[in-house]
Amino acid sequence: MINDLKKLDLKGIKEIFYNLSYEELFEHEVKNKEGKISDNGTFIVDTGIFTGRSPKDKYFVKQDPSNKYIAWGNINQPITKELFEKLLKKAKAQLSNKNIYIQDAYCGSSKDSKKSVRFVTEVAWQAHFVKNMFIRPSEEELKSFYPEFIVYNACKCVNEDYKKDGLNSDVFVIFNIEENMAVIGGTWYGGEMKKGIFSMMNYWLPLEGKLSMHCSANIGKNGDTALFFGLSGTGKTTLSTDPNRKLIGDDEHGWDDKGIFNFEGGCYAKCINLDPDSEPEIYNAIKRNALLENVISDENGKVDFSDASKTENTRVSYPIEHIKNREPSLQGSHPRNIIFLTADAFGVLPPVSKLTKEQAMYYFLSGYTAKVAGTERGITEPVATFSACFGEAFLPLHPTVYAKLLGEKMDKYNVNVYLVNTGWSGGEYGVGKRMSIKATRACINAILDGSINNCEFENFDKFNLAIPKKLEGVDANLLNPKNSWKNQDRFEELKANLANMFVENFKRYEDVVEGVEFAKAGPKI
């Protein structure tokens, strides 16, 4: 129980609401007037001016020994211990002399790899968010719960001295690895807590020889596990949600000596334009105990999921128990297949390619997709996006550390890796068509049932990718993108351009020996 309050160093606490039940949290949210209730009983909150993370306000305390491991730069910004202490003091003052909510949770469903985390906040819905997103200890486990890491969420205080302190804004999200502590100020966005602990898992696990991953995972009837990596808009959630396979998790996983395990006990899904026909699992998960963020509703509590007037990043968090077709243990065997998803708006990449181990590490580090920017203003030029390991914003260590671990585990457990393009074919965006879900599903099914291994493969030049000549359920002309284009000269031009983009992007990893080695598996200009 919470008998070590003195360690929190908070003064004049009136009442501690410790690990409240869902019903108790709901009562507090209503009593505190922290939001409103939808027509089906789901609580709705508004996170204020911050409807997403604040990456420019995220810092790590620069000190030994973590100083030797962190890849410092725009993503992992340093802050002094003295400034951390100043802002921690400010956060603790904000949380003192009032009622507070303490939520204890685990990150990681693996007994050998989980971390215990304590969250401290003065807002009931933030305790509710934590309860949804992390793994909920049993009553018995709570009796002996000891936090290995503490998060102080003082969202109601800001740093007025940020200019003098040399910081980006009055918001701060700071991690002190040596003190096993994080402090949040100035932002109400719940995702800071979720992704903050994910960042810490991305620090801890690789140093133990375990791989942390920004991916979804599911498991088949024969116990075969599959991992799906992909940036926003590539179909990661949609394609890993399969009626014939149980969901292990939709976003964050680890890979240790026992196999794959979900970090989380819930899901954090986007709600914009949510449709019950196309995404019934998410739609049906929005009910009591779920928590809606920044959605627009009428006076009767009816939510309009198409309304983006507050933000495009409307969200819902819910316990994974709200998904019927799930794997109860939140764990799976060592994966048989890994799928990298990309939505290539240039229409260059094949719908499915089988990768060598070296290529797998190359495309893992590249983390490529191409988004279409500003379509509402008629701008149709695709924009290439590269995010290391499909989660660059959350990697405290050098990206090659994660790629090297992936390669080692691929070797050890004989894993197949594929690159699947869910983007355009027959032409670039505005000319060609988006790959049909039916064709993509046929590619995924062939990977998962192993039938793709019976195919005859050919080489997709410049990228040197192995692509099947025929695949059941996919038009043969789609399998080699060149065959689906009318304008062959334009295809070759965009193919060369994309190859150049990959090569240029990858130069940033060539500051270490591994990066130089992995670069050899990339496109040849």
Side-chain angles (χ1 to χ4, degrees), residues 138-326:
S138 66
E139 289 298 320
E140 196 58 36
E141 286 172 324
L142 285 173
K143 288 176 185 174
S144 58
F145 188 94
Y146 182 80
E148 297 167 88
F149 195 84
I150 295 175
V151 178
Y152 292 92
N153 191 332
C155 62
K156 293 184 181 181
C157 79
V158 295
N159 177 24
E160 301 91 345
D161 300 334
Y162 75 90
K163 287 183 181 174
K164 189 175 78 176
D165 293 334
L167 302 183
N168 174 64
S169 79
D170 60 3
V171 170
F172 51 94
V173 181
I174 313 173
F175 301 87
N176 188 323
I177 292 174
E178 278 66 30
E179 297 290 330
N180 289 307
M181 190 182 296
V183 57
I184 298 171
T187 172
W188 289 63
Y189 185 63
E192 292 288 7
M193 295 183 285
K194 165 186 159 68
K195 289 304 187 188
I197 298 303
F198 182 46
S199 296
M200 286 307 308
M201 293 295 273
N202 283 333
Y203 177 85
W204 290 318
L205 292 192
L207 298 181
E208 299 172 11
K210 301 165 184 176
L211 182 58
S212 50
M213 303 171 291
H214 192 207
C215 69
S216 57
N218 64 24
I219 188 166
K221 288 167 185 169
N222 297 323
D224 58 302
T225 300
L227 305 181
F228 297 78
F229 290 84
L231 301 178
S232 181
T234 58
K236 178 167 62 104
T237 301
T238 303
L239 293 167
S240 60
T241 304
D242 186 327
N244 298 313
R245 299 173 66 84
K246 289 182 179 178
L247 184 70
I248 297 172
D250 78 329
D251 197 40
E252 301 172 7
H253 292 81
W255 187 352
D256 62 14
D257 291 339
K258 300 280 178 65
I260 300 301
F261 60 97
N262 193 348
F263 285 172
E264 303 181 299
C267 301
Y268 195 35
K270 288 183 178 175
C271 290
I272 196 67
N273 297 320
L274 183 63
D275 175 58
D277 294 325
S278 58
E279 294 184 280
E281 291 85 2
I282 295 173
Y283 190 88
N284 293 327
I286 302 175
K287 56 187 179 182
R288 190 65 164 263
N289 298 350
L291 189 65
L292 281 161
E293 287 181 14
N294 301 316
V295 297
I296 306 300
S297 62
D298 64 19
E299 64 276 8
N300 299 314
K302 184 170 179 56
V303 176
D304 180 359
F305 289 110
S306 67
D307 192 332
S309 57
K310 168 75 178 176
T311 177
E312 287 271 343
N313 192 35
T314 54
R315 293 272 181 171
V316 62
S317 68
Y318 51 84
I320 202 164
E321 288 82 1
H322 284 198
I323 297 290
K324 287 180 182 176
N325 193 27
R326 69 184 188 281

Side-chain angles (χ1 to χ4, degrees), residues 310-439:
K310 168 75 178 176
T311 177
E312 287 271 343
N313 192 35
T314 54
R315 293 272 181 171
V316 62
S317 68
Y318 51 84
I320 202 164
E321 288 82 1
H322 284 198
I323 297 290
K324 287 180 182 176
N325 193 27
R326 69 184 188 281
E327 168 51 45
S329 70
L330 305 180
Q331 297 178 62
S333 55
H334 298 291
R336 186 178 299 170
N337 297 294
I338 294 175
I339 297 165
F340 297 155
L341 299 166
T342 181
D344 177 27
F346 298 105
V348 168
L349 292 178
V352 59
S353 315
K354 188 168 192 209
L355 305 181
T356 64
K357 172 192 159 185
E358 292 74 22
Q359 286 175 327
M361 290 185 287
Y362 182 88
Y363 285 96
F364 183 57
L365 272 171
S366 296
Y368 165 73
T369 195
K371 297 178 181 178
V372 180
T375 51
E376 73 281 356
R377 293 174 184 260
I379 300 170
T380 58
E381 189 68 28
V383 178
T385 302
F386 294 93
S387 179
C389 311
F390 299 93
E392 187 168 354
F394 319 113
L395 306 181
L397 311 178
H398 196 287
T400 55
V401 171
Y402 307 91
K404 191 177 174 188
L405 269 171
L406 177 69
E408 288 169 0
K409 291 190 179 295
M410 278 181 65
D411 270 350
K412 188 172 182 179
Y413 301 109
N414 194 27
V415 187
N416 298 311
V417 183
Y418 299 86
L419 180 66
V420 171
N421 176 21
T422 63
W424 275 255
S425 65
E428 63 205 281
Y429 175 84
V431 179
K433 290 182 179 177
R434 185 86 192 248
M435 210 79 69
S436 72
I437 286 278
K438 188 179 177 185

